[in-house]
Amino acid sequence: MDTWTIITKSLPPMLAAMVKYTIPLTLISFAIGLIIAVLAALVRISESQQPFMKALKGIVWFYVWIFRGTPLLVQLFIVFFGLPMLKVSGHPIFELNAWSAGIITFSLNTGAYASETVRGAISSIPRPQWEAAYALGMTRGMVLRRIILPQAARVSLPPLSNSFISLVKDTSLASGITIIEMFQVSQQFAALYYNPLLSYSLVAFLYLMLSSILNILQIYLEKWTSRYVQTSQEF
Amino acid sequence: MLKLTHINKDFGNGHGLHDVSVDFPANKTTVIVGPSGSGKTTLLRTIDFLELPDAGQYDFDDLHYDLSQPLTKQEVLAARKKLGIVFQGYNLFPHLSVLANITEGPIHVLKQSKQDAEKNAHYLLDKVGLGDKANVYPDQLSGGQQQRIAIVRMVAMNPEYMLFDEPTSALDPELEVEVLKVILELAKMEDSIVIVTHNMDFARGVADKIVFVEDGKIEYQGDPKTFFEQPTPRIQAFLAAGTFDPKEV
């Protein structure tokens, strides 16, 4: 079969898999991951001496340590194939379908990396900003929400974009836990037409397109969040 | 009336405050002077609890705090509500426009309506000659303009006491004058002001009371006239060291 026929036959199902799995998996996991990241970062910068907060800090530290220190594919396998083995009086505690297992694992993994990004961005905002806000009579929560986090968002945008782009490509690992996402579909066509070079190049191109869209999005977001700083590098 | 009694603060490096007792009269301008590292800024920041002393008594109108005990957040907020501070480095919020910098506190802390807060902000901006800068970001302004906006941000909170921590030390002389004029206006309106400054001419012109701090101790507090015209040998040496005479070099 000629190249053009293979492309026209395999491209529509690949695009369908992209719209149905790759994109939603990425968007949902990144959104949840970002929420986890901000919460985890806030726990880690907390100066509270309460035993509850101290314990929470320990838990968050442990979570980040585990998820940054083990391979994502292994995490997916543990959550999808491993966790259903945990049983209480014969009934599994976690019975997750592939989709939920994917979302949970990708969110937690992204959250672990992004929490370090957010924590670093918060610490990069100079102390006088806190002081000026406190001096207006704000509480710690208000200072964070209104003064520190908006500025930290700008600082964390480039590294968060890295995480986002990584996540798009990492969703290909979901093929390992039976999700028929874009890469899984390309594998099927590679076997069907005996042309792995073409099928895998095609899917690589599609990932590249997705990443490029995110690249452009990043450029616009950076422009918008940097509207208040003079960033010219020309001297 | 704002009064600190037997304040101790140990930074563990020889600096700090040692048994400082001082009062800042209402509707007057108190100027804190002293050599670098003497503790003037620490003293000022203590008033706003940006530094927490190890011990001492804090009396501010109806607030009476024993500083050897940990303060609750509510106690700190109650004091800060009556205070405003202007910093040496302006510390405007870079992500907010000039207008939003000024209305941030009134809207979100004092719960004023956006309309009222903005009206007042425009009025105050006009008074300091920056009426056309409401919609720019702080980064686009000179140091003198930023500091005048920092003053407006404080005044918009309508504080009982206004604190100034070396407000012109980062400015060149021309810009310094435009900021000093604004502070002088406030002093003339009989606001309660505490100001740390290195500018002795300004101190002399504006002070109702002088506090001289050295090595974390109060070496003089009282009438500016006596301070400048009949100084003790130590004060005289301090005042002389601040004037530059090329013939002596």
Side-chain angles (χ1 to χ4, degrees):
Chain A
M1 212 178 288
D2 70 295
T3 308
W4 192 244
T5 316
I6 297 180
I7 291 176
T8 49
K9 291 250 185 210
S10 52
L11 194 56
M14 280 190 198
L15 287 173
M18 176 165 93
V19 172
K20 214 170 152 197
Y21 292 104
T22 303
I23 291 176
L25 210 50
T26 306
L27 291 181
I28 296 171
S29 303
F30 193 74
I32 300 174
L34 207 53
I35 294 168
I36 295 173
V38 173
L39 294 178
L42 290 181
V43 169
R44 291 193 73 179
I45 62 158
S46 152
E47 284 159 10
S48 166
Q49 294 301 313
Q50 287 173 335
F52 172 74
M53 269 318 269
K54 281 188 162 174
L56 202 58
K57 265 179 138 161
I59 293 169
V60 169
W61 178 88
F62 181 77
Y63 149 67
V64 174
W65 179 61
I66 292 290
F67 274 84
R68 288 205 311 172
T70 57
L72 177 53
L73 186 59
V74 176
Q75 293 163 16
L76 282 166
F77 274 43
I78 290 177
V79 172
F80 183 63
F81 298 113
L83 288 188
M85 294 195 69
L86 294 177
K87 285 176 189 169
V88 171
S89 58
H91 298 288
I93 321 167
F94 303 100
E95 248 184 330
L96 297 168
N97 59 30
W99 179 255
S100 323
I103 297 270
I104 289 171
T105 314
F106 287 125
S107 303
L108 287 172
N109 187 275
T110 303
Y113 282 96
S115 75
E116 287 293 278
T117 301
V118 174
R119 187 174 66 92
I122 292 174
S123 345
S124 80
I125 306 305
R127 189 185 144 89
Q129 286 290 309
W130 288 86
E131 291 183 351
Y134 275 129
L136 287 178
M138 291 191 186
T139 59
R140 183 181 165 85
M142 283 176 80
V143 177
L144 270 167
R145 202 170 62 245
R146 303 210 41 93
I147 305 301
I148 304 301
L149 286 179
Q151 294 184 60
R154 184 184 84 85
V155 181
S156 59
L157 194 67
L160 284 180
S161 303
N162 273 350
S163 296
F164 202 178
I165 290 172
S166 293
L167 180 60
V168 177
K169 297 174 291 171
D170 287 346
T171 56
S172 61
L173 294 172
S175 62
I177 58 164
T178 76
I179 295 179
I180 320 289
E181 46 66 65
M182 198 159 64
F183 176 57
Q184 175 74 270
V185 174
S186 76
Q187 281 180 299
Q188 292 168 4
F189 282 109
L192 184 64
Y193 297 122
Y194 305 111
N195 196 337
L197 177 62
L198 182 60
S199 287
Y200 294 142
S201 298
L202 193 59
V203 80
F205 174 76
L206 292 178
Y207 280 113
L208 188 60
M209 288 301 101
L210 278 181
S211 306
S212 304
I213 292 170
L214 293 180
N215 259 333
I216 294 165
L217 188 71
Q218 178 186 351
I219 291 168
Y220 278 103
L221 273 175
E222 267 186 49
K223 266 199 187 138
W224 182 69
T225 55
S226 299
R227 66 199 177 282
Y228 58 84
V229 276
Q230 322 257 312
T231 47
S232 171
Q233 308 274 313
E234 284 173 46
F235 293 101
Chain B
M1 171 70 128
L2 178 54
K3 192 170 147 198
L4 305 177
T5 322
H6 301 307
I7 299 288
N8 274 295
K9 170 77 185 175
D10 187 4
F11 283 115
N13 57 3
H15 291 293
L17 299 172
H18 310 293
D19 196 25
V20 164
S21 294
V22 60
D23 63 281
F24 304 101
N27 310 110
K28 302 273 186 227
T29 299
T30 305
V31 177
I32 305 176
V33 296
S36 286
S38 59
K40 338 183 261 304
T41 290
T42 306
L43 177 58
L44 188 84
R45 287 164 59 86
T46 297
I47 300 173
D48 210 11
F49 296 114
L50 294 173
E51 304 289 352
L52 290 172
D54 307 319
Q57 176 69 27
Y58 182 96
D59 297 290
F60 185 9
D61 299 341
D62 53 331
L63 306 176
H64 306 283
Y65 300 154
D66 174 3
L67 301 177
S68 58
Q69 306 298 320
L71 292 171
T72 65
K73 284 175 187 169
Q74 286 74 21
E75 286 172 326
V76 171
L77 280 177
R80 283 187 183 148
K81 206 187 261 179
K82 291 140 78 73
L83 295 162
I85 185 165
V86 169
F87 301 91
Q88 183 179 348
Y90 335 130
N91 304 355
L92 294 175
F93 306 127
H95 62 302
L96 299 178
S97 70
V98 164
L99 186 68
N101 261 280
I102 300 166
T103 57
E104 179 69 25
I107 293 175
H108 297 281
V109 178
L110 302 181
K111 308 290 178 199
Q112 289 177 9
S113 75
K114 194 169 181 229
Q115 208 182 353
D116 289 349
E118 288 188 349
K119 200 174 142 200
N120 189 35
H122 283 297
Y123 167 75
L124 292 170
L125 276 174
D126 281 337
K127 278 191 86 168
V128 298
L130 294 171
D132 56 334
K133 301 292 185 197
N135 296 313
V136 306
Y137 287 104
D139 206 28
Q140 295 163 276
L141 299 171
S142 74
Q145 291 171 327
Q146 290 195 44
Q147 193 62 301
R148 279 183 282 164
I149 285 157
I151 294 172
V152 168
R153 175 174 69 176
M154 173 186 71
V155 171
M157 294 297 286
N158 207 7
E160 254 177 68
Y161 271 74
M162 302 181 184
L163 314 177
F164 293 87
D165 183 12
E166 304 192 26
T168 61
S169 296
L171 302 171
D172 56 48
E174 214 175 326
L175 302 179
E176 179 172 16
V177 169
E178 61 187 35
V179 172
L180 292 180
K181 277 185 192 159
V182 174
I183 301 174
L184 195 61
E185 281 299 310
L186 293 169
K188 276 191 198 152
M189 292 191 297
E190 301 206 326
D191 284 310
S192 309
I193 292 174
V194 184
I195 174 165
V196 172
T197 185
H198 283 296
N199 188 325
M200 285 305 139
D201 294 326
F202 179 66
R204 199 172 192 150
V206 80
D208 297 309
K209 174 176 181 174
I210 290 273
V211 175
F212 178 59
V213 185
E214 186 164 46
D215 295 331
K217 295 191 199 81
I218 307 266
E219 295 294 341
Y220 175 91
Q221 59 173 317
D223 171 28
K225 212 169 163 176
T226 316
F227 182 81
F228 286 106
E229 287 166 20
Q230 295 152 333
T232 63
R234 173 59 203 128
I235 293 170
Q236 191 159 31
F238 167 73
L239 293 173
T243 49
F244 179 71
D245 185 352
K247 276 174 269 171
E248 284 177 21
V249 176

